[in-house]
Amino acid sequence: MISEKDLKIKVGVLKRSKKDVGFYEKEKAKQEAKIAAMRDDAKYDDHDIRKQQEVLAETQAMLPESYQRLEAIQQEVEMLLEQIPEGSEWPCIAEARELLHT
């Protein structure tokens, strides 16, 4: 039997996972733009550019793991939503459904 507290915790994890994926996507785009700008600017040497490429590689390495965590928690929340007793009107149910569809 699922409790409201269990669902609230999983909804919180789902929110955090979505934020993490969004953060890494933004960071990746930001690093790519920074590297492109550094290549165009003569004041940066190859060492500076390589260091920024390492930062980009670290960010890119985190993306697949973040997507896997997000997918796993989405499946878990979907499973929990199916187990909710009929007639339950927990506020976190609507939030969970909204997060799954965005």
Side-chain angles (χ1 to χ4, degrees):
M1 185 92 187
I2 181 176
S3 70
E4 182 178 9
K5 182 179 179 181
D6 294 335
L7 184 60
K8 275 185 180 181
I9 291 169
K10 295 300 179 183
V11 167
V13 172
L14 178 59
K15 271 191 215 177
R16 182 70 220 170
S17 294
K18 281 186 170 264
K19 278 185 182 180
D20 285 347
V21 167
F23 170 78
Y24 285 122
E25 286 291 344
K26 285 180 186 175
E27 184 67 21
K28 177 184 168 194
K30 184 176 146 186
Q31 273 307 118
E32 287 171 341
K34 185 175 184 177
I35 291 169
M38 288 176 79
R39 285 190 177 131
D40 294 339
D41 194 342
K43 72 179 182 178
Y44 296 106
D45 61 5
D46 288 341
H47 174 73
D48 294 330
I49 294 170
R50 265 195 314 273
K51 285 298 177 186
Q52 291 305 313
Q53 287 173 329
E54 289 175 15
V55 172
L56 176 61
E58 289 174 12
T59 300
Q60 288 173 326
M62 290 303 297
L63 276 169
E65 184 181 327
S66 296
Y67 277 116
Q68 287 175 348
R69 282 195 308 260
L70 177 60
E71 188 175 313
I73 192 65
Q74 284 175 328
Q75 290 173 356
E76 198 170 337
V77 169
E78 286 172 353
M79 186 181 72
L80 289 175
L81 285 174
E82 292 172 3
Q83 297 174 3
I84 294 174
E86 285 190 38
S88 299
E89 295 184 19
W90 303 334
C92 55
I93 294 173
E95 184 178 9
R97 288 190 175 127
E98 181 182 327
L99 285 169
L100 288 172
H101 296 289
T102 57

